[in-house]
Amino acid sequence: MEVGLHGSKGRYLGDLMYLPLDYTVSDYVLRRRGAISFGSSTVFASTPRFERRGGISYDKQDETAIYVRMLDSLYLIPFIQYTHILDTHRTQMTSGDVRMKSKPDKSNEGKRKASISESDMKLLDKLSSRDNKRQWPSRFLSLHKRRQRRRPVASLSHQHVSLLDTQYQRQAECLLSNVGNWNFDIFSLDLLTCGRPLLHIALNIFRQYDLINTFSLDIMKVFQVFSLIEDGYHSTNPYHNAVHAADVTQAMHCYLQEKMLQGSIPKFEIMTSLVAAMSHDLDHPGVNQTFMIATANHLAALYKNTSVLENHHWRSCIALLQQSGVFNHFDKKTWEQVEWQLRSLILATDITRQQEFLSRFKKYLDDPNFDFRNNFEQRHFMLQIALKCADICNPCRDWPVSKLWSERVCDEFFRQGDYERQLQIPVTPLCDRHATTVAKIQAGFLQFVVAPLFQEWQRFLPTPLSSQMIKNVKLNLEQWQIIISDENKEKEILIAEQEINEQNEKSDVEDSAETVSLHVTDEEDDKVEDGRLPLTFAHLLDDQEDLSYNSSRRGSIRSLSPVREEPDSLLLEQRRHSMPPCCFQKEITNVTVHRDILPLTQYLRRRSLPTAMILHATSLERLTDKLSALASDRVTLQKKSTSMEDFLTRPKISNLSPSFETSRLASGLLVSSQPSSHGNTIRFLSKRRKSQTLPHSEDDDSDHGDSNESDFETVDDHTFPKEALVSRTQFSVPIITRETTHQSFNCLNNLEHGRVVNSIHEGLTNFHELNVKGNSPINKMPHVESTDFDSGLIPPDITKKVPNTVSPTSLSQ
Ligand SMILES: Nc1ncnc2c1ncn2[C@@H]1O[C@@H]2COP(=O)(O)O[C@H]2[C@H]1O
Ligand SMILES: [Zn+2]
């Protein structure tokens, strides 16, 4: 709906702004008029048409709406459909006046009551009290520092949209009538409900199972808790947002509707499964567990690096249920079951536990005594699997929808990679936009994660839906493979062009008088072949395909640069945040470079690059370009803080700025070293351990304010001035060998992929070995062992047979 400004004769003066009514109306409008009108706009035969639906008068003193007049049909979309209570009052809501001001004039109270029922008034009071949201306590305990930004498309004000815009509402109703269809279009629902897909889909599904009546739920509380859950998702996440939650809930509903399951799952378990689907990614920060650990997020410490996000989703869900009081009338035992089931279901969605669940699933299916209908444990496991399927079902949708999800999820991955790069921590391979592509990620995910799970699901439920899902996975995989082969063809062309260029450039170099010979003292050292750059620097080249994880560590460049041309405090500062240069100290070996013929001027010009790289003029020039681009990047970077706070636009769960723990974590990885300090050897690595902290603190800044090149050349500056170096015909520089670089990176890899620091508080050097297998992208994530809640699957007091219709009291018996 748009709010329009109308002149005295109903002349349309122009749009004010896009919805919600609690937006501040511009001063110039308020100065000119005592009221504004609103309506909905449509495009009819290519002509925009504005239909007047009502008006709002406001108090000029405090600029708050005081009176709303409805001219047209009005009904409350979320309620009319779902409750008999409001249904009976539907006609009374078709038109009328509502006083909106928080302290209503008593004389008007009677008038208001006369036209609106008590329950509708309750609703309107809720909707009109703008401060309600602010009065609620901070929803997630993890939220400090920065308050959640108000979402433009998903705040309580959306209830006004739904309240007023009947056209969208009818279309949404029509769409929702197909909610059990696998081809249901969740993105359209998002549009039609103005960013409230989860609220609407959940209310609709709850109504279908008659859960509100069955469990005597208070509709207001249900409405409130669903809104809270929806608001708990970050709309700024490309993938982990409320639309994903709505999508998973819809998929879960489709699975629960399967003929073989219908009538086999007690309503209580249906309800908990749906709530679990709705909340399974609640307050997701848009980065994965690895990132949380690497940045020493307090949640990682809180949950001991095990299912960090899933534990947080579950806890947040319970907090919202408690806050809304929706299950307050349940007795203790029933409430405990709600809590237990939600915990178990949500924790099962930890994708790093995929293999564990798949193996168990296969085992159940192979067991001739498998009887989920009469066995709570088996049934609960099936619900866990159903939720896991729903969570990763996006590749089982039709190609256009599936592709959209794939792009969104990869967008989120790549954003994480960008944050990692900016924080100068190792970039997760899956998240490195320079090292992989959407198509490659998807092909891997579909092949190694999705297909195996859904094949077993089809074995469990050989239904048309299962076949359709498998068929879609196959078709989508084919599409991604076509895209990959196109990408490969393009890459081959690029390589061919590049090789031709290099050939030409090589002959130019051979013509030049310059000769540089390199003598590597250690046979195992980095082999510099055919003028190619060492692997460590390979990522500076344009061709970044098939680069290993090591080569994508942009943050290491500065710390590897042995000679630098000009003092640059900015670069020094940046270098200090790279992670962690001291890793390399032990591994340094010497390379002797004879530079007899190189003219002084050329040498000086080239001092900005590692001497080991001065092999190929072309490479050198390209590197110079790259490095200056990098330097300018860093200038931009410095202007912004590299704090995580700046990257995540809505860091609700996490004050993601790396903390003291990060520096300890980094220092836990340091290799103690005794670098050689021969009289004529330059040591290029800073001595300052402090430089390992992420990100730099104010202290660091001030401390390094007077930094200059001498910080690099710490040992020999006083004994071996630079001028003297220049005039020498032979000197030694340390380089990082391929082998040693691998070792250092492996050290970081272990943190990133294989090992998780047991407990930040218990000691940073104590690593807990975790099981990492296979090549699938998911297997690159840390595997966590089963947690205590799964070992005893059946909660102590759960009854073997739960009736299909369970009232809170019967559950407690
Ligand atoms: N299409 C996809 N491509 C790659 N990874 C995916 C895709 N869909 C889901 N995932 C991953 O699978 C995970 C399942 O749990 P989450 O929703 O928390 O986060 C999801 C993503 O990390
Ligand atoms: Zn999910």
Side-chain angles (χ1 to χ4, degrees):
M1 191 195 79
E2 287 169 1
V3 177
L5 179 63
H6 289 257
S8 52
K9 289 178 185 165
R11 194 164 47 93
Y12 183 54
L13 300 178
D15 288 344
L16 290 185
M17 62 188 75
Y18 170 76
L19 251 171
L21 294 180
D22 60 349
Y23 266 3
T24 313
V25 178
S26 347
D27 271 351
Y28 80 93
V29 176
L30 291 174
R31 258 183 266 119
R32 289 174 56 178
R33 322 239 141 231
I36 51 175
S37 66
F38 57 84
S40 58
S41 59
T42 44
V43 178
F44 184 72
S46 308
T47 316
R49 209 170 70 181
F50 181 85
E51 278 181 69
R52 193 159 185 250
R53 291 282 167 85
I56 303 172
S57 56
Y58 58 88
D59 186 330
K60 274 207 161 183
Q61 283 184 340
D62 63 6
E63 296 177 358
T64 310
I66 41 177
Y67 223 80
V68 176
R69 169 159 293 179
M70 303 296 173
L71 300 177
D72 204 351
S73 299
L74 157 73
Y75 47 96
L76 306 172
I77 177 178
F79 289 94
I80 297 303
Q81 297 174 64
Y82 314 114
T83 72
H84 61 280
I85 314 165
L86 289 178
D87 250 356
T88 53
H89 299 291
R90 188 171 178 148
T91 47
Q92 292 185 15
M93 290 298 292
T94 52
S95 63
D97 298 348
V98 181
R99 177 165 285 279
M100 302 294 282
K101 209 173 175 184
S102 46
K103 285 182 190 165
D105 184 351
K106 287 225 165 121
S107 59
N108 282 324
E109 192 68 11
K111 240 195 260 171
R112 182 191 183 199
K113 278 188 178 156
S115 61
I116 301 170
S117 75
E118 202 179 312
S119 51
D120 295 342
M121 266 189 48
K122 200 174 158 191
L123 170 69
L124 284 166
D125 277 342
K126 267 230 150 22
L127 299 182
S128 62
S129 58
R130 304 282 190 270
D131 290 335
N132 256 1
K133 220 175 164 186
R134 257 169 272 139
Q135 283 159 10
W136 293 334
S138 169
R139 260 174 272 147
F140 304 107
L141 290 175
S142 55
L143 170 65
H144 15 134
K145 272 200 175 169
R146 192 186 292 184
R147 294 288 307 166
Q148 168 193 346
R149 247 194 316 151
R150 197 180 170 88
R151 277 202 299 181
V153 287
S155 64
L156 264 186
S157 53
H158 272 291
Q159 290 146 22
H160 293 277
V161 185
S162 309
L163 194 75
L164 299 171
D165 202 322
T166 53
Q167 286 166 346
Y168 275 9
Q169 187 234 325
R170 297 236 169 84
Q171 290 176 38
E173 269 177 36
C174 180
L175 193 65
L176 280 166
S177 63
N178 287 320
V179 73
N181 191 322
W182 188 247
N183 293 325
F184 183 80
D185 186 351
I186 200 74
F187 294 109
S188 295
L189 185 70
D190 182 36
L191 280 177
L192 292 171
T193 56
C194 301
R196 305 299 279 179
L198 186 58
L199 170 71
H200 287 266
I201 207 163
L203 284 169
N204 187 294
I205 296 173
F206 261 57
R207 185 178 61 93
Q208 284 198 26
Y209 292 106
D210 197 24
L211 297 174
I212 292 167
N213 283 334
T214 306
F215 297 104
S216 315
L217 304 178
D218 178 340
I219 182 63
M220 294 305 297
K221 289 179 180 171
V222 172
F223 185 81
Q224 189 191 26
V225 77
F226 287 179
S227 304
L228 285 172
I229 291 174
E230 185 143 49
D231 282 343
Y233 282 91
H234 301 204
S235 57
T236 45
N237 287 344
Y239 179 81
H240 285 107
N241 51 39
V243 189
H244 167 62
D247 185 49
V248 172
T249 309
Q250 190 268 338
M252 192 69 184
H253 171 58
C254 290
Y255 301 151
L256 293 171
Q257 289 286 296
E258 286 280 60
K259 277 218 169 77
M260 275 178 70
L261 296 186
Q262 262 180 22
S264 315
I265 320 267
K267 281 204 173 177
F268 184 74
E269 288 164 43
I270 290 180
M271 182 174 71
T272 50
S273 304
L274 291 171
V275 175
M278 291 174 68
S279 336
H280 82 282
D281 276 331
L282 190 54
D283 201 25
H284 198 293
V287 289
N288 66 14
Q289 169 174 293
T290 310
F291 186 92
M292 306 291 273
I293 294 169
T295 52
N297 186 279
H298 69 281
L299 289 175
L302 180 66
Y303 297 116
K304 297 200 163 45
N305 299 335
T306 305
S307 298
V308 173
L309 289 172
E310 290 71 22
N311 269 302
H312 180 63
H313 304 322
W314 164 66
R315 295 248 180 201
S316 305
C317 169
I318 297 296
L320 295 187
L321 292 175
Q322 282 173 342
Q323 188 182 322
S324 67
V326 66
F327 295 148
N328 271 3
H329 58 300
F330 285 4
D331 61 45
K332 194 164 169 264
K333 268 187 186 172
T334 314
W335 170 250
E336 276 171 9
Q337 283 182 36
V338 170
E339 219 173 299
W340 182 88
Q341 289 192 20
L342 288 176
R343 181 189 196 206
S344 176
L345 288 166
I346 293 176
L347 286 167
T349 63
D350 182 349
I351 195 75
T352 63
R353 299 174 64 200
Q354 192 76 356
Q355 206 50 45
E356 171 198 326
F357 274 91
L358 193 60
S359 312
R360 211 163 122 209
F361 193 22
K362 285 179 183 168
K363 230 189 215 164
Y364 272 130
L365 296 178
D366 292 340
D367 183 356
N369 297 321
F370 176 64
D371 179 14
F372 72 93
R373 286 184 185 83
N374 298 308
N375 181 323
F376 171 79
E377 184 189 344
Q378 292 180 355
R379 194 171 56 241
H380 180 74
F381 181 74
M382 283 310 134
L383 290 174
Q384 284 180 313
I385 294 287
L387 182 56
K388 287 179 73 61
C389 286
D391 196 16
I392 57 165
C393 74
N394 63 74
C396 306
R397 306 278 187 182
D398 274 353
W399 170 247
V401 174
S402 171
K403 183 167 171 271
L404 199 54
W405 282 121
S406 300
E407 284 161 358
R408 284 178 171 225
V409 78
C410 291
D411 188 10
E412 198 169 296
F413 290 163
F414 292 156
R415 280 191 193 190
Q416 177 180 326
D418 295 344
Y419 303 149
E420 289 169 334
R421 205 170 289 113
Q422 289 182 54
L423 286 167
Q424 303 195 1
I425 60 176
V427 180
T428 307
L430 189 72
C431 303
D432 190 348
R433 63 171 83 243
H434 305 305
T436 188
T437 64
V438 175
K440 282 180 185 167
I441 294 174
Q442 290 313 299
F445 187 71
L446 268 62
Q447 252 175 305
F448 299 117
V449 183
V450 180
L453 181 64
F454 281 88
Q455 268 153 13
E456 294 307 313
W457 182 258
Q458 192 184 29
R459 193 147 72 97
F460 170 52
L461 294 180
T463 61
L465 172 59
S466 299
S467 309
Q468 188 185 355
M469 292 193 297
I470 293 278
K471 193 177 137 211
N472 283 347
V473 175
K474 228 178 126 202
L475 291 174
N476 293 339
L477 181 59
E478 279 168 17
Q479 293 284 347
W480 289 120
Q481 278 163 346
I482 292 171
I483 295 175
I484 292 174
S485 76
D486 287 349
E487 286 172 354
N488 287 342
K489 274 180 207 153
E490 271 178 36
K491 186 189 141 194
E492 276 166 24
I493 294 169
L494 274 176
I495 290 175
E497 281 174 5
Q498 201 176 334
E499 274 171 7
I500 293 168
N501 287 343
E502 276 177 12
Q503 287 283 332
N504 294 340
E505 284 160 0
K506 204 173 173 185
S507 52
D508 290 349
V509 173
E510 277 162 8
D511 291 344
S512 81
E514 179 183 313
T515 311
V516 178
S517 69
L518 178 85
H519 169 66
V520 181
T521 52
D522 185 342
E523 291 208 336
E524 291 301 310
D525 281 352
D526 201 8
K527 304 257 189 327
V528 186
E529 293 164 352
D530 305 320
R532 290 186 71 102
L533 295 171
L535 182 65
T536 318
F537 301 99
H539 62 281
L540 289 175
L541 294 172
D542 292 332
D543 178 12
Q544 289 170 335
E545 278 291 345
D546 300 330
L547 290 184
S548 70
Y549 173 48
N550 296 347
S551 60
S552 65
R553 294 189 70 256
R554 196 166 286 222
S556 61
I557 295 168
R558 284 293 158 195
S559 39
L560 295 179
S561 281
V563 188
R564 300 174 64 252
E565 191 162 27
E566 12 177 83
D568 183 342
S569 59
L570 166 63
L571 293 180
L572 286 170
E573 198 173 88
Q574 289 295 335
R575 182 177 55 87
R576 291 206 164 92
H577 312 301
S578 63
M579 173 106 161
C582 288
C583 284
F584 306 112
Q585 290 188 5
K586 184 182 146 201
E587 317 295 347
I588 293 170
T589 53
N590 290 333
V591 174
T592 308
V593 178
H594 300 276
R595 195 183 278 277
D596 305 38
I597 316 166
L598 192 66
L600 178 66
T601 46
Q602 282 191 30
Y603 168 60
L604 279 175
R605 186 164 57 82
R606 285 169 188 203
R607 286 181 66 227
S608 59
L609 291 168
T611 314
M613 291 159 65
I614 308 176
L615 292 170
H616 196 295
T618 323
S619 309
L620 184 90
E621 272 155 27
R622 294 170 66 193
L623 270 166
T624 316
D625 291 343
K626 289 279 181 181
L627 284 172
S628 45
L630 197 70
S632 72
D633 275 352
R634 285 170 188 229
V635 173
T636 326
L637 248 180
Q638 200 217 15
K639 282 178 192 155
K640 294 179 190 171
S641 159
T642 49
S643 159
M644 200 53 227
E645 280 272 299
D646 292 336
F647 303 149
L648 300 184
T649 45
R650 201 168 167 237
K652 284 204 301 188
I653 74 164
S654 41
N655 162 20
L656 283 163
S657 46
S659 59
F660 174 63
E661 277 79 7
T662 317
S663 62
R664 293 182 62 198
L665 190 65
S667 53
L669 291 168
L670 300 182
V671 184
S672 67
S673 60
Q674 287 298 324
S676 73
S677 55
H678 302 298
N680 62 348
T681 301
I682 306 167
R683 200 173 71 190
F684 296 102
L685 298 168
S686 166
K687 283 195 290 190
R688 301 185 191 199
R689 294 258 158 140
K690 203 171 166 188
S691 66
Q692 314 316 314
T693 47
L694 281 170
H696 61 287
S697 63
E698 296 284 318
D699 278 351
D700 282 342
D701 284 343
S702 55
D703 193 32
H704 300 157
D706 57 351
S707 293
N708 56 38
E709 202 166 6
S710 66
D711 278 311
F712 268 90
E713 302 170 353
T714 46
V715 176
D716 302 300
D717 256 11
H718 56 291
T719 57
F720 206 159
K722 273 176 274 176
E723 293 73 17
L725 267 180
V726 172
S727 64
R728 289 180 67 91
T729 55
Q730 182 178 333
F731 61 92
S732 295
V733 295
I735 68 160
I736 308 301
T737 68
R738 181 176 303 187
E739 184 208 48
T740 56
T741 310
H742 279 187
Q743 284 169 10
S744 308
F745 286 140
N746 280 343
C747 177
L748 295 172
N749 274 340
N750 287 338
L751 169 71
E752 180 76 11
H753 296 306
R755 296 172 183 194
V756 178
V757 179
N758 216 4
S759 159
I760 287 164
H761 298 298
E762 282 169 17
L764 293 157
T765 48
N766 191 10
F767 291 106
H768 173 51
E769 189 75 47
L770 292 171
N771 186 14
V772 181
K773 292 185 207 135
N775 294 321
S776 83
I778 288 308
N779 282 335
K780 296 235 161 75
M781 301 175 187
H783 170 85
V784 289
E785 285 157 16
S786 299
T787 37
D788 56 349
F789 47 84
D790 276 331
S791 49
L793 192 67
I794 312 179
D797 49 3
I798 192 110
T799 45
K800 287 268 175 206
K801 275 199 165 214
V802 186
N804 252 345
T805 304
V806 194
S807 71
T809 31
S810 71
L811 264 167
S812 63
Q813 282 160 6

